[in-house]
Amino acid sequence: MREPVNLNKETIVVHDPHDERHYGAVSFPVYQNSLFTFKTHEELETALALEVSSMIYTRGNNPTVAMLEDKLAKLEGGERARCFASGMAAISTAILSVIRSGDHIVCVDGAYGPAKKFMEQYLSKFNIETSFVDGKDFAQIEAAIQKNTRLIYLESPTSLTFELQDLRECAVLAARIGATTIIDNTWATPMYQNPLQYGIDLVVHSMTKYISGHSDLVGGVIIGSQKHMDELFASEIQLLGGILHPQSAAIFMRGLRTLPLRMQKHEQNGLLIASYLNTRPHIIRVNHPGLPDHPQHDLFKTQMLGSNSLLSFETDISMDIMRQWANSLQLFRKGISWGGYESLIYMKELSAGKFIVRLYIGLEEPDDLIRDMEQAFDSIGCGMK
């Protein structure tokens, strides 16, 4: 049966192609096998000749994983996606696919910590230099370019201070100097930002976060052109082997089916909590690009379709007192990840005397979360009265 075209994202996540091989199964089957065999040796030889698209060995291709990849590529507006065992496996594979010894990388300084560490510490062993710049200032990105710059690495918004980069300008700059652009699009998800349409070359996601949505899986994905994905398959995917397991792919698909609905609720909850925090005494600044007072809100409106529920704030209360506040919260768990159904809090010291409080707002009723924060503020003597 021919698959419908031009489907909305809400339909893509729930529609699976049906054919006689799967006996009308509603949920796509889990192909729990390491290899695929053939009736004749000639068929095997043909498959090996078309290895990039053939089902031969699960390290290369697997039908269950391929179904998830197909959905993610369509959601992001890319030609091909490849899934990995973790977000960092996707990030490191994407970076390794475009750089060589002697190359230079420009990376936004608010990027995910392990990604920065991979570029700054690991790649430096192979004569690859990285310059970290203030991503919200395009002039700094442009000024950091060197003759051997081969990669501009973006994360928009960043996941601690929630700063944006102008994706169109970055894509034009990269094309002019012959560099590749990679963006970590985990915060926005494919529902609310599609960087490929602005000229970005590769998009990576930690599927562990919103795509899973249930804090029970770890995975990552790279999405881009067919050409780039084919080249990546022949080298990094086959040789590094950081593949996603078929069982995990099936569970990721289950989470993906509710992604549009969950993101609507997360956006609603996040904006309600961010607006509440803006009314609190002792809170200096709330970092959430969906707020009208965010300094990059105009850019947010031009390149994003919505926001979510991961935010941070700065306060004039000491970190020791804020630890007491955090420990008084009853509905927020203490943890560093995000994207699941549960609300989380994490505090990070930025420099001596300066720290930031990051909140992840889950799927709870926001009024309950606000009451919880109120009682915690009361407990440290910072009530509204």
Side-chain angles (χ1 to χ4, degrees):
M1 180 184 296
R2 180 180 298 175
E3 187 176 357
V5 295
N6 299 323
L7 298 176
N8 291 320
K9 292 179 179 179
E10 291 79 3
T11 304
I12 290 171
V13 297
V14 299
H15 175 82
D16 294 346
H18 299 87
D19 62 46
E20 64 281 0
R21 290 177 298 171
H22 307 307
Y23 304 99
V26 175
S27 295
F28 195 85
V30 179
Y31 280 82
Q32 183 69 33
N33 49 283
S34 59
L35 77 157
F36 303 83
T37 59
F38 300 84
K39 292 181 179 179
T40 68
H41 198 273
E42 287 76 13
E43 289 179 352
L44 173 58
E45 290 173 337
T46 299
L48 288 170
L50 302 171
E51 186 178 19
V52 70
S53 58
S54 296
M55 301 297 167
I56 301 171
Y57 190 62
T58 285
R59 176 160 52 83
N61 291 300
N62 176 280
T64 310
V65 179
M67 175 57 69
L68 174 63
E69 292 171 341
D70 182 64
K71 288 182 180 294
L72 291 168
K74 289 175 180 174
L75 287 176
E76 195 62 85
E79 293 177 345
R80 188 74 167 90
R82 285 289 183 176
C83 289
F84 297 84
S86 69
M88 267 309 300
I91 289 169
S92 58
T93 299
I95 293 171
L96 288 172
S97 74
V98 300
I99 51 100
R100 300 292 183 269
S101 179
D103 286 348
H104 173 253
I105 301 171
V106 175
C107 176
V108 297
D109 58 9
Y112 179 51
K116 291 173 61 178
K117 187 175 181 179
F118 177 74
M119 286 178 265
E120 184 176 26
Q121 298 183 21
Y122 189 84
L123 293 183
S124 64
K125 297 189 297 183
F126 304 98
N127 192 31
I128 297 166
E129 180 189 2
T130 303
S131 299
F132 296 97
V133 299
D134 183 350
K136 65 181 181 294
D137 183 357
F138 177 73
Q140 290 197 31
I141 296 176
E142 195 169 31
I145 298 298
Q146 301 178 13
K147 290 183 179 180
N148 59 335
T149 300
R150 296 294 176 265
L151 171 63
I152 300 176
Y153 188 90
L154 310 170
E155 182 178 321
S156 184
T158 57
S159 59
L160 186 63
T161 54
F162 305 96
E163 297 168 344
L164 284 67
Q165 300 99 59
D166 190 314
L167 303 187
R168 295 176 180 87
E169 285 191 329
C170 290
V172 170
L173 171 62
R176 188 171 76 238
I177 65 172
T180 299
T181 46
I182 298 175
I183 183 171
D184 184 336
N185 197 34
T186 303
W187 190 90
T189 80
M191 299 305 302
Y192 290 155
Q193 184 171 256
N194 300 124
L196 298 173
Q197 74 181 47
Y198 303 126
I200 301 300
D201 295 302
L202 294 175
V203 175
V204 296
H205 291 271
S206 169
M207 300 194 300
T208 311
K209 309 303 192 294
Y210 282 122
I211 290 174
S212 166
H214 293 82
S215 299
D216 57 1
L217 291 170
V218 175
V221 65
I222 307 173
I223 306 166
S225 69
Q226 185 74 51
K227 180 178 183 295
H228 200 121
M229 291 296 107
D230 286 353
E231 292 172 351
L232 192 146
F233 175 86
S235 53
E236 285 75 20
I237 289 179
Q238 291 282 54
L239 300 180
L240 298 179
I243 62 165
L244 185 69
H245 195 280
Q247 282 191 338
S248 295
I251 304 173
F252 271 119
M253 272 195 282
R254 185 172 65 182
L256 193 65
R257 297 189 197 282
T258 61
L259 179 64
L261 293 172
R262 287 187 286 106
M263 291 309 297
Q264 291 175 23
K265 178 64 172 173
H266 281 302
E267 179 177 35
Q268 178 185 21
N269 283 7
L271 287 172
L272 284 170
I273 298 301
S275 298
Y276 156 73
L277 290 169
N278 255 340
T279 69
R280 290 288 322 181
H282 302 290
I283 291 183
I284 301 169
R285 176 178 174 178
V286 178
N287 301 309
H288 189 296
L291 290 175
D293 63 354
H294 188 279
Q296 293 180 290
H297 186 66
D298 288 342
L299 178 59
F300 163 82
K301 291 190 294 184
T302 66
Q303 65 186 29
M304 299 184 69
L305 300 173
S307 62
N308 69 32
S309 59
L310 185 69
L311 58 110
S312 65
F313 67 86
E314 301 161 37
T315 176
D316 59 11
I317 304 172
S318 72
M319 190 168 184
D320 286 342
I321 299 298
M322 284 305 295
R323 286 194 185 98
Q324 297 176 33
W325 178 80
N327 290 336
S328 298
L329 293 169
Q330 299 173 0
L331 298 180
F332 287 80
R333 303 185 188 191
K334 288 69 179 174
I336 60 172
S337 190
W338 47 276
Y341 52 83
E342 74 287 359
S343 290
L344 300 167
I345 182 170
Y346 164 60
M347 292 192 294
K348 180 177 178 64
E349 188 170 11
L350 303 178
S351 59
K354 185 176 181 181
F355 68 100
I356 201 163
V357 181
R358 191 177 76 175
L359 293 177
Y360 170 68
I361 311 304
L363 296 175
E364 301 93 341
E365 169 55 46
D367 287 344
D368 291 334
L369 298 176
I370 289 173
R371 282 193 292 269
D372 188 28
M373 287 188 281
E374 284 286 294
Q375 65 82 22
F377 279 121
D378 289 341
S379 74
I380 61 171
C382 294
M384 293 289 279
K385 296 181 180 179

Coordinates of all heavy atoms in Angstrom, one line a residue, residues 117-147:
K117 N 33.1 19.0 26.3 CA 34.3 18.3 26.8 C 34.8 17.4 25.7 O 36.1 17.2 25.6 CB 33.9 17.4 28.0 CG 35.0 16.7 28.7 CD 34.6 16.0 30.0 CE 35.8 15.3 30.7 NZ 35.3 14.6 31.9
F118 N 34.0 16.8 24.9 CA 34.4 15.9 23.8 C 35.3 16.7 22.8 O 36.3 16.3 22.4 CB 33.2 15.3 23.1 CG 33.6 14.5 21.9 CD1 34.1 13.2 22.0 CD2 33.3 15.0 20.6 CE1 34.5 12.5 20.9 CE2 33.6 14.2 19.5 CZ 34.2 13.0 19.6
M119 N 34.8 18.0 22.5 CA 35.5 18.8 21.6 C 36.8 19.4 22.2 O 37.9 19.4 21.5 CB 34.6 19.9 21.1 CG 33.5 19.5 20.1 SD 32.4 20.8 19.5 CE 31.1 20.6 20.7
E120 N 36.7 19.9 23.4 CA 37.8 20.6 24.0 C 39.0 19.6 24.5 O 40.1 19.9 24.3 CB 37.4 21.4 25.2 CG 38.4 22.2 25.8 CD 37.9 23.1 27.0 OE1 36.9 22.7 27.6 OE2 38.5 24.1 27.2
Q121 N 38.6 18.5 25.0 CA 39.6 17.6 25.6 C 39.9 16.4 24.7 O 41.1 16.1 24.5 CB 39.1 17.1 27.0 CG 38.9 18.3 28.0 CD 38.5 17.8 29.4 OE1 38.7 16.6 29.7 NE2 38.0 18.6 30.2
Y122 N 38.9 15.7 24.3 CA 39.1 14.5 23.5 C 39.7 14.8 22.1 O 40.7 14.2 21.7 CB 37.8 13.6 23.4 CG 38.1 12.3 22.8 CD1 38.5 11.2 23.6 CD2 37.9 12.0 21.5 CE1 38.7 9.9 23.1 CE2 38.1 10.8 21.0 CZ 38.5 9.7 21.8 OH 38.7 8.5 21.3
L123 N 39.1 15.7 21.4 CA 39.5 15.9 20.1 C 40.8 16.7 20.0 O 41.6 16.6 19.0 CB 38.4 16.8 19.3 CG 37.1 16.0 19.0 CD1 36.2 16.9 18.2 CD2 37.4 14.7 18.3
S124 N 41.2 17.3 21.1 CA 42.5 18.0 21.1 C 43.6 17.0 21.0 O 44.7 17.4 20.6 CB 42.6 18.9 22.4 OG 42.6 18.1 23.5
K125 N 43.4 15.8 21.4 CA 44.5 14.7 21.3 C 44.8 14.5 19.8 O 45.8 13.9 19.5 CB 44.0 13.5 21.9 CG 43.8 13.6 23.4 CD 43.6 12.2 24.1 CE 42.3 11.5 23.6 NZ 42.1 10.3 24.3
F126 N 43.9 14.9 18.9 CA 44.1 14.6 17.5 C 44.3 15.9 16.7 O 44.0 16.0 15.5 CB 42.9 13.8 16.9 CG 42.6 12.6 17.7 CD1 41.6 12.5 18.7 CD2 43.3 11.4 17.5 CE1 41.4 11.4 19.4 CE2 43.1 10.3 18.2 CZ 42.1 10.2 19.2
N127 N 44.8 16.9 17.4 CA 45.2 18.2 16.7 C 44.0 18.9 16.1 O 44.0 19.4 15.0 CB 46.3 17.9 15.6 CG 46.9 19.2 15.1 OD1 47.0 20.2 15.9 ND2 47.2 19.3 13.8
I128 N 42.9 18.8 16.9 CA 41.7 19.5 16.5 C 41.4 20.6 17.6 O 41.2 20.2 18.7 CB 40.5 18.5 16.3 CG1 40.8 17.6 15.2 CG2 39.2 19.3 16.1 CD1 39.8 16.4 15.2
E129 N 41.3 21.8 17.2 CA 41.1 22.9 18.1 C 39.7 23.4 18.1 O 39.0 23.4 17.0 CB 42.1 24.1 17.7 CG 42.0 25.3 18.6 CD 42.8 26.5 18.1 OE1 43.4 26.4 17.0 OE2 42.7 27.5 18.8
T130 N 39.2 23.8 19.2 CA 37.8 24.3 19.4 C 37.8 25.7 20.0 O 38.5 25.9 21.0 CB 36.9 23.4 20.2 OG1 36.9 22.1 19.6 CG2 35.5 23.9 20.2
S131 N 37.1 26.6 19.4 CA 36.9 28.0 20.0 C 35.5 28.0 20.5 O 34.5 27.8 19.7 CB 37.2 29.1 19.0 OG 38.5 29.0 18.5
F132 N 35.3 28.4 21.8 CA 34.0 28.6 22.4 C 33.6 30.0 22.4 O 34.4 30.9 22.9 CB 34.0 27.9 23.8 CG 34.2 26.4 23.8 CD1 35.5 25.9 24.0 CD2 33.2 25.6 23.5 CE1 35.7 24.6 24.0 CE2 33.4 24.2 23.4 CZ 34.7 23.7 23.7
V133 N 32.4 30.3 21.9 CA 32.0 31.7 21.8 C 30.6 31.9 22.3 O 29.8 31.0 22.5 CB 32.0 32.2 20.3 CG1 33.4 32.1 19.7 CG2 31.1 31.3 19.5
D134 N 30.3 33.2 22.6 CA 28.9 33.6 23.0 C 28.0 33.4 21.8 O 28.0 34.2 20.9 CB 28.9 35.0 23.5 CG 27.6 35.5 24.0 OD1 26.6 34.7 23.9 OD2 27.5 36.6 24.6
G135 N 27.2 32.4 21.9 CA 26.3 32.1 20.7 C 25.2 33.1 20.4 O 24.8 33.1 19.2
K136 N 24.8 33.8 21.4 CA 23.8 34.8 21.1 C 24.3 36.0 20.3 O 23.5 36.8 19.8 CB 23.1 35.2 22.4 CG 23.9 36.0 23.4 CD 23.1 36.3 24.6 CE 23.9 37.2 25.6 NZ 25.0 36.4 26.2
D137 N 25.6 36.2 20.2 CA 26.2 37.3 19.5 C 26.8 36.7 18.2 O 27.9 36.1 18.2 CB 27.3 37.9 20.4 CG 27.9 39.1 19.7 OD1 27.6 39.4 18.6 OD2 28.8 39.8 20.4
F138 N 26.1 36.9 17.1 CA 26.6 36.3 15.8 C 28.0 36.9 15.5 O 28.8 36.2 14.9 CB 25.6 36.6 14.7 CG 26.1 36.1 13.4 CD1 26.1 34.7 13.1 CD2 26.5 37.0 12.4 CE1 26.5 34.3 11.8 CE2 27.0 36.5 11.2 CZ 27.0 35.2 10.9
A139 N 28.3 38.1 15.8 CA 29.6 38.7 15.5 C 30.7 37.9 16.1 O 31.8 37.8 15.6 CB 29.6 40.2 16.0
Q140 N 30.5 37.4 17.3 CA 31.5 36.5 18.0 C 31.7 35.2 17.2 O 32.8 34.7 17.1 CB 31.2 36.3 19.4 CG 31.2 37.5 20.3 CD 31.3 37.1 21.8 OE1 31.8 36.1 22.2 NE2 30.8 38.0 22.6
I141 N 30.6 34.6 16.7 CA 30.8 33.4 15.9 C 31.6 33.7 14.7 O 32.5 33.0 14.3 CB 29.4 32.9 15.6 CG1 28.6 32.4 16.8 CG2 29.5 31.7 14.6 CD1 27.2 32.0 16.6
E142 N 31.2 34.8 14.0 CA 31.9 35.2 12.8 C 33.4 35.5 13.0 O 34.3 35.1 12.2 CB 31.2 36.4 12.2 CG 31.6 36.7 10.7 CD 30.7 37.7 10.1 OE1 30.2 38.5 10.8 OE2 30.4 37.6 8.9
A143 N 33.7 36.2 14.2 CA 35.0 36.6 14.5 C 35.9 35.4 14.8 O 37.1 35.4 14.7 CB 35.0 37.6 15.6
A144 N 35.3 34.3 15.3 CA 36.1 33.1 15.7 C 36.5 32.2 14.5 O 37.3 31.3 14.6 CB 35.3 32.3 16.7
I145 N 36.0 32.5 13.3 CA 36.3 31.7 12.1 C 37.7 31.8 11.8 O 38.3 32.9 11.7 CB 35.4 32.1 10.9 CG1 33.9 31.9 11.3 CG2 35.8 31.3 9.7 CD1 33.5 30.5 11.5
Q146 N 38.3 30.6 11.5 CA 39.7 30.5 11.0 C 39.8 29.9 9.6 O 38.8 29.4 9.1 CB 40.6 29.7 12.0 CG 40.6 30.3 13.4 CD 41.4 29.4 14.4 OE1 42.1 28.5 14.0 NE2 41.3 29.7 15.7
K147 N 40.9 29.9 9.0 CA 41.1 29.3 7.7 C 40.7 27.9 7.7 O 40.3 27.3 6.7 CB 42.5 29.6 7.1 CG 42.8 31.0 6.8 CD 44.2 31.2 6.2 CE 44.5 32.6 5.8 NZ 45.9 32.7 5.3

